[in-house]
Amino acid sequence: MLTIKIALLLILAYLLGSFPTGVIVGKVFFHKDIRKLGSGNPGSTNTFRTFGPVAGMSVLLVDVLKGTLATLLPVIFHLGPHPLGIIFGMLAILGHTFSIFLGFKGGKAVATTAGFILGYNLAFFCVCAGIFFPMLFITSIMSLTAMLCITLFFIFSFLFHDPYLSAMMFVLLILIFIRHKANIVRLKNGTENIIPFGIYYWLKNK
């Protein structure tokens, strides 16, 4: 019975991650498919650029909460040791990245990764947030910030003496770099999209 319960909750974690927030917001409120606009990515960054800050922040919030809720499923349903959250969080991230509702395509794992970290270790989340937001403000480039930060998050994870967390951050480091292959090419060519605030944006438009 416990095995069936865990299996069903693992499926639920994946489905939570798969929830296509950006596509739904675009179609319901703007009658447009976000996948056919901007970069074509259904995540919060493209939503922000295409539909504005309210839509972008809404998608970001939901995508973060997907990861948090999925990671906390073992705690909510009293399944056992806290490290189980690693597995549930990973399934949510994979769901977000390879959504069953979008033909196994999806976002780039950044927001749902933040949600996983929030659900798994609040102190580590605060450290990550303290790195992420200043980095984004300096670079004005979400993709560059994501790749720099996941590298730093992996390094800083060792300070928490949690091998499960460090292993997870290493897997996410690889996943996020793979998901940003096209962004890396654009960064090399100087054609990567920037967000309309931050030091680099202001200097470029000065």
Side-chain angles (χ1 to χ4, degrees):
M1 191 68 181
L2 179 61
T3 303
I4 295 174
K5 181 180 179 181
I6 292 174
L8 290 174
L9 289 174
L10 287 170
I11 293 171
L12 176 59
Y14 171 78
L15 293 175
L16 281 170
S18 292
F19 182 76
T21 318
V23 173
I24 290 175
V25 167
K27 289 187 174 181
V28 171
F29 295 102
F30 300 93
H31 309 293
K32 295 180 180 179
D33 189 339
I34 187 67
R35 294 170 294 178
K36 298 178 181 178
L37 301 169
S39 67
N41 188 274
S44 57
T45 303
N46 193 36
T47 304
F48 185 96
R49 292 196 203 99
T50 305
F51 298 133
V54 174
M57 291 302 296
S58 299
V59 171
L60 175 63
L61 179 62
V62 174
D63 285 350
V64 169
L65 289 177
K66 292 189 309 186
T68 302
L69 180 57
T71 303
L72 290 175
L73 285 176
V75 177
I76 295 170
F77 289 92
H78 310 289
L79 292 181
H82 186 55
L84 274 175
I86 292 280
I87 301 172
F88 284 82
M90 188 71 238
L91 280 172
I93 292 166
L94 290 175
H96 177 74
T97 309
F98 307 105
S99 171
I100 192 172
F101 304 116
L102 302 177
F104 297 101
K105 297 179 181 179
K108 297 190 175 179
V110 177
T112 312
T113 292
F116 153 71
I117 295 171
L118 175 60
Y120 184 76
N121 189 318
L122 181 59
F124 184 56
F125 175 81
C126 291
V127 170
C128 293
I131 296 171
F132 181 85
F133 290 108
M135 187 77 73
L136 181 60
F137 182 74
I138 292 169
T139 67
S140 303
I141 302 175
M142 179 60 76
S143 60
L144 178 60
T145 298
M147 290 184 286
L148 289 173
C149 284
I150 194 64
T151 304
L152 292 173
F153 296 169
F154 169 62
I155 294 170
F156 277 99
S157 71
F158 289 97
L159 298 178
F160 288 79
H161 306 290
D162 182 343
Y164 299 105
L165 176 62
S166 296
M168 178 65 162
M169 297 315 298
F170 179 69
V171 172
L172 292 173
L173 172 67
I174 295 172
L175 177 63
I176 286 177
F177 269 82
I178 290 174
R179 295 294 293 166
H180 283 82
K181 286 190 296 183
N183 303 85
I184 292 171
V185 173
R186 290 195 294 269
L187 284 166
K188 288 180 178 178
N189 295 336
T191 57
E192 179 65 314
N193 294 318
I194 65 175
I195 53 179
F197 71 89
I199 294 174
Y200 178 71
Y201 172 78
W202 294 328
L203 290 175
K204 188 173 181 179
N205 291 276
K206 189 174 180 180

